[in-house]
Amino acid sequence: MQVTSSVRTPLITGGKTVHDVTEDICRQVEGKPSKSWLLGMGMALTAFGIGFIAVAATLWEGIGMWGLNKTVGWAWDITNFVWWVGIGHAGTLISAVLLLFRQKWRMAINRAAEAMTIFAVICAAMFPVLHMGRPWLGAYWALPLPNTFGSLWVNFNSPLLWDVFAISTYFSVSLVFWYLGLVPDFATIRDRATGMRKKIYGALSLGWDGAARTWSRYESVSLILAGLATPLVLSVHTIVSFDFATSVIPGWHTTIFPPYFVAGAIFSGFAMVLTLMLVTRRLFKLEDYITIEHISLMNIVITVTGSIVGIAYITEFFVAWYSGVPAEQYAFFNRMQGPYWWAYWSMMTCNVISPQLFWSKRIRTSISATFIISIIVNIGMWFERFVIIVTSLHRDYLPSSWSMFYPTVYDMGVYLFTFGLFFTAFLLFAKFFPVVNMAEIKSIVKSSSEKQTA
């Protein structure tokens, strides 16, 4: 029987015991793949295969296959890069920050959010690498190589190098944090498995024995990693925003970008977590663990961060007007009424208006409404990155340099490839790894023996 409060909505429904938690979560790992899972995997692999053709063509022919030109040197590639990094932001926030604040509602969703972070960062890292054109000839020069390898060619003034350090640090800490949380659950599956599965999960569990000393060390390391990972919530997307804010291009040269990008990343990251968790909740029958209360609390975070993003949009316009710089003022006027007006107003509708619907409790607790709005938010955040990058570049200081960007089938194909890669990895994770953190969920559930003695 679970521990409940007479005031708060229970985080786990259905009167689950510790044994029920183990059975419900392990069932999806130990059972055969369902038809829904196979259908999803088939769609993901199809997108992966079609997109791979575009990636191979880009590597073979060069980035001239994309729609870039002399004026718009960054477009879909960097738009998608920033978008994927933003999606990965919610994993660290849910896992690290909410752990430090002892928020128990994170326990049912942190595992999927951490996995989403890792896969999203992998997808994001593809775009700067592909943008190098011939990455096998010099991608390694972006790494901090020792001088014994040759002359130190790293340019610390380059945004590319900042992104390498930011993404590699973020990925490393997130991967360690994610794997550490899986170890107790791997041990549970190991103890139930036989044959080769027992050996595989036994190796993954790193000799976990469940002793009190082991648990004590596990919790200590978790808190240390959470403390180390918390600054990443602010640092990673702040560094990504420096790619733009340190330039002198109108529309980019603004000090509001770091907090604005961080809020936007949390905004889009939580939306993607909701999209994935609602599908996972239905697919693996986890309604008692990912409850309406979890969905409502995540929608509140989306409302708050969406409001911050809306304030940032207004602040940008005010600063452009107050600056008195004609080029800066024109950049924002062009966003609203220029050739890409449709992208700007799509961004405003999706990011500013749609999250405000969650002020209504009826909509905030509706599964279908939440799913639709979470997708709308991610579409809007993609348009935000597109507006920031393309509409700021396509009108240069010289009218003779003005140009339009039109994506090619290869731009779209590379983007499709990352979707296929992301969902293929996530579906494999959801099938072979426990998608909900059993060890943490059990900490808020009474055991059956306590139920009998109560």
Side-chain angles (χ1 to χ4, degrees):
M1 182 177 183
Q2 67 186 89
V3 180
T4 59
S5 168
S6 58
V7 178
R8 295 182 178 177
T9 304
L11 292 175
I12 302 174
T13 59
K16 298 294 183 179
T17 64
V18 171
H19 177 72
D20 293 334
V21 173
T22 303
E23 290 295 327
D24 292 343
I25 306 303
C26 289
R27 185 184 301 119
Q28 53 90 9
V29 177
E30 298 167 345
K32 293 182 179 180
S34 64
K35 292 181 179 180
S36 300
W37 186 89
L38 291 173
L39 176 62
M41 179 58 74
M43 295 172 62
L45 288 174
T46 300
F48 181 88
I50 296 174
F52 183 78
I53 297 173
V55 173
T58 300
L59 291 172
W60 186 261
E61 299 289 345
I63 61 173
M65 305 294 287
W66 297 348
L68 306 178
N69 52 61
K70 290 183 178 180
T71 303
V72 186
W74 286 359
W76 269 46
D77 48 343
I78 307 301
T79 297
N80 297 332
F81 161 69
V82 180
W83 187 75
W84 278 117
V85 172
I87 283 178
H89 224 62
T92 304
L93 179 72
I94 292 172
S95 298
V97 179
L98 297 184
L99 174 62
L100 294 177
F101 282 96
R102 306 295 186 182
Q103 296 296 306
K104 293 186 177 181
W105 63 270
R106 63 174 279 283
M107 294 178 177
I109 59 176
N110 69 321
R111 176 70 53 72
E114 292 165 10
M116 181 197 76
T117 291
I118 293 166
F119 306 143
V121 170
I122 292 173
C123 292
M126 278 190 53
F127 290 98
V129 172
L130 287 175
H131 200 283
M132 294 178 183
R134 297 290 187 268
W136 57 88
L137 295 179
Y140 51 86
W141 288 113
L143 302 175
L145 300 171
N147 282 335
T148 53
F149 190 84
S151 299
L152 188 60
W153 286 88
V154 174
N155 180 10
F156 288 98
N157 293 323
S158 170
L160 175 63
L161 189 64
W162 307 342
D163 292 338
V164 168
F165 280 104
I167 291 177
S168 60
T169 304
Y170 190 54
F171 179 79
S172 301
V173 174
S174 299
L175 183 64
V176 172
F177 204 12
W178 174 68
Y179 186 78
L180 180 70
L182 279 164
V183 170
D185 289 357
F186 281 149
T188 301
I189 300 173
R190 172 202 64 194
D191 296 339
R192 295 164 55 93
T194 57
M196 183 57 67
R197 286 171 58 88
K198 189 176 186 69
K199 293 181 180 178
I200 293 173
Y201 286 106
L204 292 173
S205 62
L206 303 178
W208 179 274
D209 58 5
R213 179 178 295 181
T214 306
W215 276 109
S216 177
R217 290 172 176 169
Y218 168 81
E219 293 174 358
S220 299
V221 172
S222 296
L223 287 173
I224 292 171
L225 285 175
L228 292 173
T230 297
L232 291 177
V233 175
L234 300 175
S235 68
V236 173
H237 229 57
T238 296
I239 293 173
V240 172
S241 75
F242 288 167
D243 295 357
F244 312 100
T246 56
S247 72
V248 295
I249 295 175
W252 288 5
H253 189 64
T254 171
T255 55
I256 199 177
F257 264 22
Y260 162 26
F261 268 50
V262 170
I266 296 171
F267 181 50
S268 61
F270 265 77
M272 181 60 86
V273 170
L274 269 174
T275 304
L276 294 175
M277 292 310 296
L278 289 176
V279 174
T280 305
R281 178 180 187 265
R282 181 68 178 271
L283 190 63
F284 295 123
K285 297 180 174 59
L286 299 173
E287 289 85 354
D288 289 329
Y289 302 98
I290 304 170
T291 65
I292 299 297
E293 180 68 9
H294 290 96
I295 295 168
S296 177
L297 289 169
M298 293 184 71
N299 284 336
I300 290 173
V301 175
I302 288 177
T303 305
V304 172
T305 52
S307 300
I308 295 173
V309 169
I311 292 172
Y313 294 159
I314 298 171
T315 305
E316 277 190 308
F317 274 93
F318 172 78
V319 171
W321 166 78
Y322 193 74
S323 69
V325 179
E328 195 75 25
Q329 293 173 349
Y330 175 77
F332 286 91
F333 177 80
N334 182 60
R335 288 182 182 180
M336 287 192 298
Q337 299 187 2
Y340 292 110
W341 64 268
W342 48 271
Y344 175 81
W345 291 110
S346 297
M347 172 193 79
M348 294 295 289
T349 303
C350 295
N351 293 347
V352 179
I353 298 175
S354 64
Q356 304 310 315
L357 297 175
F358 285 141
W359 285 101
S360 167
K361 186 175 181 181
R362 182 177 180 182
I363 297 177
R364 192 168 66 242
T365 56
S366 169
I367 301 295
S368 55
T370 297
F371 184 74
I372 293 170
I373 293 175
S374 69
I375 294 176
I376 290 174
V377 166
N378 270 309
I379 292 173
M381 289 306 294
W382 188 92
F383 275 115
E384 180 204 278
R385 278 62 181 253
F386 181 84
V387 166
I388 290 173
I389 295 170
V390 176
T391 62
S392 297
L393 288 175
H394 85 117
R395 292 291 183 259
D396 204 346
Y397 286 106
L398 297 175
S400 60
S401 300
W402 289 5
S403 178
M404 293 290 291
F405 166 76
Y406 300 102
T408 68
V409 67
Y410 296 98
D411 286 290
M412 301 177 188
V414 174
Y415 189 38
L416 182 65
F417 173 79
T418 57
F419 269 103
L421 175 63
F422 178 83
F423 284 105
T424 298
F426 189 84
L427 287 169
L428 288 172
F429 153 77
K431 178 64 189 73
F432 296 105
F433 289 0
V435 73
V436 173
N437 195 322
M438 286 188 288
E440 293 192 353
I441 287 292
K442 290 174 183 177
S443 67
I444 54 176
V445 174
K446 279 188 177 181
S447 65
S448 56
S449 58
E450 289 174 335
K451 176 183 176 181
Q452 294 172 358
T453 57

